[in-house]
Amino acid sequence: MKDSQHKLWEVFVQAKTGAPHEHAGSVHAADSEIALQNARDVFSRRNEAVSLWVVPSDQIVASTPEDEGPFFDPANDKIYRHPKFYSVPKGVRM
Amino acid sequence: MSQEEKLKEFERKIESGEKIEPKDWMPENYRKQLIRMMSQHAHSEIVGMLPEGNWITRAPSLRRKLGLLAKVQDEAGHGLYLYSATETLGVDRSELIENLHNGKAKYSSIFNYPTLTWADIGLIGWLVDGAAIINQTMLAKSSYGPYSRALIRICKEENFHKKQGYEIVSKLAGGTKKQKEMVQEAFNRWWWPTLMMFGPPDKDSPNSAELMKWKVKLNSNDDLRQRFVNLTVPQAIAVDLKVPDPDLKYNEETGNWEFGEINWEEFWNVVKGNGPLNKERLKVRNDAHDRGAWVREAAEAYASKHSSLN
Ligand SMILES: [Fe+2]
Ligand SMILES: [Fe+2]
């Protein structure tokens, strides 16, 4: 029988309250409870986290690098979304 | 994009210092080299727990036991960060672990040497982790994003490893005559194998040129080795230990500590599997893995029972 390494979970760590959860790496675990415990043991041995998320890796939907052009492109020609596009009378502080 | 354009874009990124991420196009050999190197690194963290784990139950005080336990636990964590980073390249962890267990994959040869006395634990922290820090500080700037991020995490934890080792060494070196002899004897055994940890001289290192071209490695083996010697010799002098090298001398002009000839025959011999403990290490790893099989099976059974209840 092939040895199971369990399913893969992505780990997100919040370093302190107010900060966003950031991707830290991944762990293997049979279920979400063990995944969370493993994530704590692997990514927070020195108080690196106040909160942890674990997400089954196969549940993450990601863009691909090939998308980089067409997928993100529309933003590039919409300079009117940036403050620089607009002018105000001289001397007025915004 | 054609293959050629993809390669150009890849090389441009490397050149400008941008990181390569898992889904980016990369040359097949870049992927292969990374999988080989990163999994070797992961295996080294895991096997590296064995020589030190050997002394946990015999640590001379509670303070020493706590420190050693925490360090060995960190090494397990390092192994896991690195396996997880390697998996981003599209390999499965079970495959990597299988290759370790059947002897196909390599790990750092230093862990095939025995830990004969308590002083060896000091020497491993001071020298082996010290050498690893130099190597890993470079690799933290590596061009592959997940490898670089794992190493930044690892580097933060390594300093404590080295310091706890050096504390053991300095206490023994300043202790009784017997303690001093014990630590000097251990130093004599660990010094040369540690210098070998940086790998063969640049001219005999088959993978080095390619790894440096792709900025997986940023310094050569010989450069890193020299950096280690320059850093470590003054630390030995500070605790009155003699470096076991009659040819060691300081070069005023270059600021380098020049050292004697390394016995590369010994190095290749251990790499090929004939070191003092190659077989023993693999056997212990395999036994531990096999003994844990029922735990993995139980966890799977529990998980599938609960998901079918939901
Ligand atoms: Fe480590
Ligand atoms: Fe370490």
Side-chain angles (χ1 to χ4, degrees):
Chain A
M1 190 187 84
K2 197 162 158 53
D3 195 40
S4 170
Q5 289 288 316
H6 310 305
K7 61 191 249 193
L8 193 62
W9 305 74
E10 298 303 318
V11 179
F12 297 82
V13 172
Q14 187 187 33
K16 50 179 190 288
T17 53
H21 283 71
E22 235 182 52
H23 183 246
S26 59
V27 293
H28 287 256
D31 61 34
S32 57
E33 199 185 325
I34 305 179
L36 206 52
Q37 286 178 11
N38 286 355
R40 177 203 56 200
D41 291 346
V42 176
F43 293 102
S44 185
R45 285 191 299 284
R46 292 178 180 79
N47 285 325
E48 288 97 334
V50 294
S51 161
L52 284 172
W53 294 345
V54 289
V55 182
S57 303
D58 58 10
Q59 295 298 305
I60 290 184
V61 182
S63 64
T64 66
E66 293 82 60
D67 286 340
E68 222 177 286
F71 191 68
F72 296 108
D73 188 42
N76 286 343
D77 55 6
K78 296 181 176 61
I79 45 169
Y80 48 85
R81 285 175 175 170
H82 298 277
K84 257 195 172 155
F85 184 73
Y86 303 92
S87 62
V88 292
K90 266 211 171 89
V92 179
R93 288 182 62 178
M94 294 299 287
Chain B
M1 262 201 272
S2 70
Q3 285 296 101
E4 216 170 292
E5 285 169 324
K6 284 179 182 167
L7 181 62
K8 267 226 168 92
E9 170 62 9
F10 171 83
E11 281 170 347
R12 183 200 62 75
K13 277 191 192 159
I14 298 270
E15 198 46 50
S16 70
E18 275 174 54
K19 299 287 182 212
I20 306 299
E21 292 297 336
K23 287 185 166 180
D24 290 346
W25 184 90
M26 58 186 85
E28 214 25 59
N29 229 21
Y30 179 79
R31 183 186 302 277
K32 265 204 213 135
Q33 288 273 27
L34 277 174
I35 292 176
R36 181 190 59 82
M37 191 170 157
M38 291 166 67
S39 60
Q40 255 179 39
H41 194 163
H43 299 330
S44 303
E45 303 284 351
I46 298 299
V47 178
M49 289 191 281
L50 300 176
E52 291 179 299
N54 182 33
W55 278 90
I56 289 174
T57 55
R58 293 176 287 165
S61 70
L62 184 58
R63 178 185 160 89
R64 292 284 182 246
K65 192 171 189 160
L66 285 173
L68 186 56
L69 260 175
K71 177 191 189 290
V72 172
Q73 196 188 11
D74 274 353
E75 306 301 3
H78 297 176
L80 293 174
Y81 303 156
L82 290 164
Y83 282 129
S84 130
T86 315
E87 285 191 286
T88 63
L89 289 159
V91 280
D92 200 62
R93 190 172 77 179
S94 51
E95 193 185 323
L96 301 175
I97 291 179
E98 206 174 289
N99 284 342
L100 169 67
H101 289 174
N102 64 25
K104 250 194 244 159
K106 299 259 179 279
Y107 55 85
S108 180
S109 282
I110 194 79
F111 301 119
N112 289 319
Y113 290 86
T115 38
L116 302 177
T117 70
W118 170 251
D120 290 52
I121 299 306
L123 265 306
I124 289 186
W126 174 34
L127 298 184
V128 177
D129 286 80
I133 289 171
I134 289 192
N135 202 22
Q136 290 172 336
T137 309
M138 164 194 74
L139 291 170
K141 298 183 204 111
S142 162
S143 60
Y144 187 55
Y147 195 26
S148 152
R149 290 192 286 277
L151 280 158
I152 289 170
R153 208 174 277 284
I154 288 174
C155 285
K156 278 189 198 154
E157 301 181 346
E158 288 288 0
N159 282 339
F160 133 65
H161 298 180
K162 181 179 173 182
K163 242 182 124 184
Q164 65 90 36
Y166 191 63
E167 185 185 287
I168 295 172
V169 168
S170 73
K171 285 276 151 68
L172 291 174
T176 64
K177 185 165 171 279
K178 235 180 157 177
Q179 286 174 319
K180 174 101 198 249
E181 277 168 13
M182 179 169 80
V183 73
Q184 179 67 55
E185 188 272 334
F187 188 35
N188 297 348
R189 280 184 288 112
W190 286 96
W191 175 252
W192 291 103
T194 308
L195 295 195
M196 295 174 197
M197 275 176 74
F198 295 95
D202 301 334
K203 59 176 172 45
D204 304 322
S205 177
N207 301 310
S208 261
E210 199 164 53
L211 292 173
M212 284 181 73
K213 181 180 91 184
W214 285 329
K215 296 194 181 165
V216 175
K217 282 174 66 170
L218 294 123
N219 303 91
S220 73
N221 296 350
D222 287 332
D223 281 354
L224 295 172
R225 186 164 17 245
Q226 186 65 60
R227 197 178 292 177
F228 172 77
V229 173
N230 290 349
L231 193 69
T232 310
V233 171
Q235 292 166 353
I237 294 171
V239 292
D240 197 26
L241 286 178
K242 266 194 247 5
V243 180
D245 178 358
D247 296 325
L248 186 81
K249 60 173 185 300
Y250 188 67
N251 182 326
E252 292 279 353
E253 242 163 75
T254 58
N256 286 333
W257 282 94
E258 291 170 355
F259 48 93
E261 200 62 45
I262 293 173
N263 181 354
W264 291 111
E265 207 175 307
E266 174 184 330
F267 172 79
W268 290 115
N269 199 32
V270 182
V271 170
K272 283 183 193 123
N274 306 317
L277 289 177
N278 295 53
K279 288 183 189 75
E280 150 94 8
R281 296 292 187 234
L282 275 193
K283 185 182 176 324
V284 173
R285 263 313 314 146
N286 272 296
D287 288 352
H289 190 71
D290 294 346
R291 277 201 307 269
W294 71 271
V295 180
R296 293 189 291 279
E297 277 164 34
E300 284 294 340
Y302 181 83
S304 61
K305 188 173 160 194
H306 276 252
S307 65
S308 67
L309 290 178
N310 287 337

